[in-house]
Amino acid sequence: MSVERRPLVVAVLGSTATGKSALALALAERFDGEIVNCDSTAVYRGFDIGTDKVGVADRRGIEHHLIDVADPTEEYTAARYARDAASAIREIHARGRLPILAGGTGFYYRALTRGLFPGPGRDAVLRQRLEGIASNRGVPFLHRMLRRVDPPSADRIQARDLKRIVRALEVFFLTGRPLTSHFAETASPIPDVDVMGIAVRLPAADISDRVERRVAAQFGRGLLDEIRALRARGIPETARPFGGLVYRQALEHLNGVRDEPATRALIAQENRQYARRQLIWFRKEPNLIWLDGPGESPETIAAACRLVEERVHT
């Protein structure tokens, strides 16, 4: 008696500048797939160059989902991503095609594959107290406080991200348990789907070289003009995507904080640090299959195709 296989989702994951998009496109071409974005900044309209979105002309006719689905002034959360991605996956399956997640936002991937803890409601008094500490002693002080009570959350939340730091501390003080300890009690919005996670990795020196080239290309393609146009449209500098990598540093440059060469160097440096954090995150994800080599290389593509082929035809 044959056992009916569950629908499959392939996820192409890894650190920044490892060639995830190229590998996802190759798999989509080979297996009649559609790509579902798993990058937290690419969901925002207008933020194109600094996120290295794959342009429409470069998508080879392959459908892409969850790109440009939010206005820059919206707060697009991981919980919303999980709902939207689950819906896109079901629609792709209904068309008889293979959904392929592609991106490096580990928290989005976890929200989709393992669910999110909804958490207690906001506590205005506690938040005001925490924000007061940040105002008096600096946001990094609050981040160090978080590291003492919830190291995994401190690893994934940047030291400048006051909003997320406050929320993680709020959950800890209200429940007596760190935010990450609640994750095991959550449920994925796609419990009836098999997820094959393929993660690509490169040596740190290779990532550094690729990041340097990417930053130069972003400035060459008009990153600063893109930011000027966004501001001219009335997008406030407090908009969430302006706080992300590349955009935050470039915006500071336009505001006179540092010159362009120093800004390029800082973006490259922080991208390298981000790549290390991503690698640490994905190493903790269960059941990922690791491939060594850039995503665009024929060897990596061939290895990934063999993995998917075995799953599809067994």
Side-chain angles (χ1 to χ4, degrees):
M1 180 177 177
S2 63
V3 178
E4 185 176 351
R5 297 300 297 265
R6 304 200 309 175
L8 176 68
V9 171
V10 174
V12 179
L13 310 165
S15 301
T16 189
T18 51
K20 298 181 295 295
S21 296
L23 180 55
L25 278 168
L27 290 173
E29 283 188 315
R30 172 67 180 80
F31 296 99
D32 194 22
E34 299 183 22
I35 293 174
V36 180
N37 166 58
C38 190
D39 179 273
S40 60
T41 309
V43 300
Y44 292 105
R45 286 184 279 271
F47 288 75
D48 302 331
I49 296 173
T51 58
D52 282 300
K53 288 177 187 172
V54 178
V56 174
D58 297 319
R59 295 178 188 175
R60 306 176 200 167
I62 293 166
E63 192 72 29
H64 282 60
H65 303 268
L66 303 193
I67 293 175
D68 298 335
V69 293
D71 288 328
T73 52
E74 289 184 69
E75 182 178 349
Y76 194 93
T77 64
R80 179 177 165 187
Y81 171 80
R83 293 192 301 269
D84 290 351
S87 177
I89 286 167
R90 297 194 188 284
E91 290 171 2
I92 295 167
H93 279 149
R95 288 191 286 273
R97 297 191 168 190
L98 177 65
I100 300 173
L101 289 176
T105 301
F107 196 45
Y108 274 20
Y109 178 71
R110 182 173 293 178
L112 175 63
T113 57
R114 287 196 267 165
L116 280 180
F117 167 61
R122 298 184 178 191
D123 186 306
V125 174
L126 177 57
R127 286 192 171 208
Q128 185 175 16
R129 186 178 307 151
L130 291 169
E131 289 167 356
I133 293 172
S135 178
N136 291 330
R137 308 192 68 170
V139 179
F141 177 85
L142 215 59
H143 191 262
R144 290 193 293 273
M145 182 188 300
L146 177 62
R147 185 167 294 284
R148 286 196 295 273
V149 299
D150 187 359
S153 287
D155 285 340
R156 70 175 176 81
I157 299 173
Q158 293 192 46
R160 301 183 186 85
D161 196 339
L162 176 62
K163 186 173 184 178
R164 287 188 173 89
I165 294 170
V166 166
R167 178 56 178 166
L169 286 170
E170 180 182 45
V171 168
F172 174 78
F173 288 123
L174 291 177
T175 68
R177 296 167 55 197
L179 180 61
T180 45
S181 77
H182 293 280
F183 289 158
E185 302 170 3
T186 63
S188 165
I190 50 170
D192 54 340
V193 171
D194 284 339
V195 179
M196 173 185 280
I198 299 174
V200 290
R201 62 187 168 195
L202 291 171
D206 290 355
I207 287 180
S208 180
D209 290 342
R210 290 164 72 96
V211 163
E212 293 279 357
R213 293 196 299 270
R214 173 178 286 186
V215 172
Q218 287 169 337
F219 275 82
R221 288 166 54 202
L223 172 66
L224 298 180
D225 287 337
E226 179 181 82
I227 294 173
R228 293 185 185 102
L230 288 165
R231 292 200 299 187
R233 280 173 41 203
I235 306 301
E237 295 185 5
T238 54
R240 190 163 181 174
F242 270 142
L245 271 175
V246 180
Y247 288 101
R248 182 180 69 250
Q249 299 90 343
L251 190 60
E252 289 171 348
H253 161 60
L254 290 176
N255 287 333
V257 173
R258 70 184 71 82
D259 63 19
E260 185 174 316
T263 298
R264 293 190 185 207
L266 180 61
I267 292 173
Q269 174 188 328
E270 296 205 1
N271 264 291
R272 289 191 292 268
Q273 293 170 350
Y274 178 52
R276 286 194 289 272
R277 292 196 302 273
Q278 287 175 297
L279 183 60
I280 291 168
W281 178 281
F282 285 122
R283 279 174 175 166
K284 296 177 182 177
E285 285 295 325
N287 306 317
L288 294 188
I289 303 167
W290 289 89
L291 297 179
D292 292 305
E296 73 275 8
S297 76
E299 294 80 10
T300 303
I301 292 170
C305 284
R306 284 193 297 271
L307 291 168
V308 178
E309 189 85 33
E310 289 172 5
R311 168 56 177 82
V312 169
H313 293 105
T314 56

